[in-house]
Amino acid sequence: MPIVTPDLCDEYPEVQVVEPGFRNFGGVDAFGGEIVTVKCFEDNSVVKEQVGLPGNGRVLVVDGGGSKRNALLGDMLAEKAASNGWAGLIIYGCIRDVDVIGKTVLGVQALGTHPRKTEKRGIGDLNVPVTFGGVTFQPGHYLYADNNGIVVSEKPLNTD
C-alpha cells in the first residue's frame, strides 16, 4: 500500500495535517490505518496492554503529553506490536531502543529518544480524543504517515 502524504493532501484537501516535529524511527517508513488512542503521561501501562492485543492493521496514537523525561515505547513493545499486526505507532513523547526498532517491521514516529523507561502505575485512558500537533485524533478515524508528515482523515483514503 503506497502511502505518500503529499499526494493524499493534494487529492484530499480536507485532511488534517499534524504540525512538524515527529521523526520516523520504525522499520516501515510509510504506514496508515484506523486510529486507536491512548492518553498517558510518563506511564506506558496502557500502551503495553494494547500492543499485546491484535492490531488488525490499526495505528496506536499515544498522547504522552510531549514528555521528554522517559520513553513510552521500547524494542520489546515494538516487537510485540509488530507480531500482533499493528501498522504503527505515533508517540507524542519519546521512545528508546531505536536501533532495534529501526529493524522492526512497524511504523513508529515520535518526538525523540530517551534511554529511561517509564514507571508502570496502571494509569492511562484508552480510546479518548487526544489533541497534539494541531490535530485532534479521534478513535475510529484514519491516520497516514510517511517521511513527509502525518495526515488524519475521518474516513479511509484510497492510497493506491
Side-chain angles (χ1 to χ4, degrees):
M1 170 166 84
I3 293 172
V4 181
T5 57
D7 292 349
L8 292 176
C9 288
D10 292 350
E11 188 170 342
Y12 303 97
E14 71 278 8
V15 298
Q16 296 181 9
V17 179
V18 178
E19 294 169 355
F22 287 84
R23 286 185 43 209
N24 231 337
F25 291 99
V28 176
D29 286 340
F31 60 96
E34 185 178 351
I35 294 171
V36 173
T37 65
V38 170
K39 186 174 182 71
C40 58
F41 186 74
E42 299 181 359
D43 179 349
N44 69 347
S45 300
V46 179
V47 174
K48 182 178 180 180
E49 291 170 6
Q50 288 305 298
V51 300
L53 299 173
N56 301 317
R58 296 176 294 169
V59 176
L60 190 61
V61 176
V62 180
D63 180 355
S67 174
K68 294 184 179 176
R69 296 191 296 201
N70 53 36
L72 293 171
L73 180 75
D75 59 345
M76 292 189 300
L77 294 185
E79 288 172 353
K80 187 178 281 194
S83 67
N84 284 328
W86 290 88
L89 289 92
I90 302 293
I91 308 285
Y92 186 53
C94 291
I95 67 167
R96 66 187 203 159
D97 303 314
V98 296
D99 295 331
V100 175
I101 290 175
K103 296 175 186 167
T104 303
V105 183
L106 181 71
V108 177
Q109 290 200 17
L111 297 179
T113 63
H114 197 289
R116 180 169 287 133
K117 66 181 180 177
T118 68
E119 291 185 32
K120 307 285 188 291
R121 299 181 313 269
I123 299 170
D125 297 312
L126 177 63
N127 277 333
V128 296
V130 298
T131 302
F132 57 83
V135 171
T136 297
F137 299 84
Q138 298 281 354
H141 286 186
Y142 291 81
L143 180 146
Y144 303 89
D146 65 7
N147 285 323
N148 296 292
I150 303 167
V151 300
V152 176
S153 172
E154 292 181 15
K155 59 182 185 199
L157 304 178
N158 182 3
T159 58
D160 293 332

